[in-house]
Structure formats: structure tokens, C-alpha cells
Amino acid sequence: MRAFVASAVLVVLIAFGGAPAHADNRDEARRAFSAGQNADKSKNGSRAIEHYLRAFELVPHHFAAYNIAIDYEHLGQLREATVWLNRYLELAPDAPDRDQVMRLTRRAQAATREAERHLAPTGATVFIDGRRSA
């Protein structure tokens, strides 16, 4: 899946390019996205997320959302990964990898629920996303 995103760098650069009125933000977003990719290559997921978040803040784009999600997943931060996978799907509803991302989202949600159940003290009532857990 990462290969899909990495191979789409040209598409991202084109997407972040555009109208002169937004050129400064788009140029900065492009630089931040590129810095995120470099951090990923260096296996520094936390730093990559910082850069991708900056790129997304400047120019919201589904590739940045996807990379943020994957880095959160690699760091074991599954709740955050799920949030960003959902954002990716919102921004790219016709994504060719939609089914795979939906499976990844369900897997991350299930793992988060399971981890939270194991962390609860004996006799505690656990609420997940505002709902009482079984």
C-alpha cells in the first residue's frame, strides 16, 4: 500500500500545485510532504507524521491523510490511525484501495477495543466511543 502512495508522488505534486493565490501554501505543503517521505525512509514515523500533518493543514489531501494513518498504525497508535484512515476515505471515496483500507480500519478498530478491554481494572465499566463496552 505504501508503494501505491510512493508511486503517486507525481500526482501529489500536481495536486499540490495550482493557482498562484495559493502557491505559497502549496509550495510549503509540497515541501512538508516531501520531508515526511524522507522521514519515512529514515524509519522515523513520529517525525514523518509531523510533516504530513503540516502538509495536510496547508492543503488537505488524501495522500497525506493516508500516510499519517499508516505511520500511526506502525507506531501502534491505532485509534489515531483509524481517524486518519476514515479521513482518507472521506477525501477519496472512489479510491482504488478502498476495500483494503476498510479492512485495515476494521482491524485497527478491533485491536483498539481489545487493548482497551485488557487495560480496564477488574470491575470497571468501559466505554468506547461513548458506548458501554461488553
Side-chain angles (χ1 to χ4, degrees):
M1 195 98 121
R2 174 79 62 190
F4 165 73
V5 175
S7 67
V9 171
L10 182 58
V11 174
V12 170
L13 294 177
I14 291 169
F16 284 144
H22 302 290
D24 290 341
N25 279 354
R26 291 180 188 280
D27 287 344
E28 190 175 342
R30 211 175 302 124
R31 286 189 297 274
F33 190 87
S34 180
Q37 289 178 311
N38 288 335
D40 273 335
K41 288 176 189 169
S42 299
K43 306 285 190 235
N44 189 339
S46 296
R47 189 75 178 135
I49 289 170
E50 290 176 21
H51 291 297
Y52 292 137
L53 285 170
R54 179 67 180 144
F56 190 88
E57 176 184 304
L58 291 163
V59 180
H61 195 276
H62 62 282
F63 287 149
Y66 178 82
N67 285 3
I68 292 166
I70 296 305
D71 282 326
Y72 272 132
E73 181 196 26
H74 289 159
L75 292 172
Q77 297 178 24
L78 301 178
R79 183 177 294 275
E80 292 83 357
T82 300
V83 167
W84 284 97
L85 287 169
N86 286 326
R87 190 161 296 164
Y88 167 76
L89 292 172
E90 290 168 9
L91 292 169
D94 297 325
D97 60 346
R98 183 174 184 76
D99 290 341
Q100 186 175 358
V101 171
M102 292 293 293
R103 283 190 299 276
L104 183 59
T105 301
R106 286 190 297 273
R107 190 175 74 223
Q109 288 171 331
T112 299
R113 283 191 299 273
E114 186 64 24
E116 288 174 347
R117 279 192 192 108
H118 289 291
L119 293 174
T122 303
T125 302
V126 177
F127 289 86
I128 299 173
D129 295 330
R131 292 183 301 232
R132 186 182 179 131
S133 179

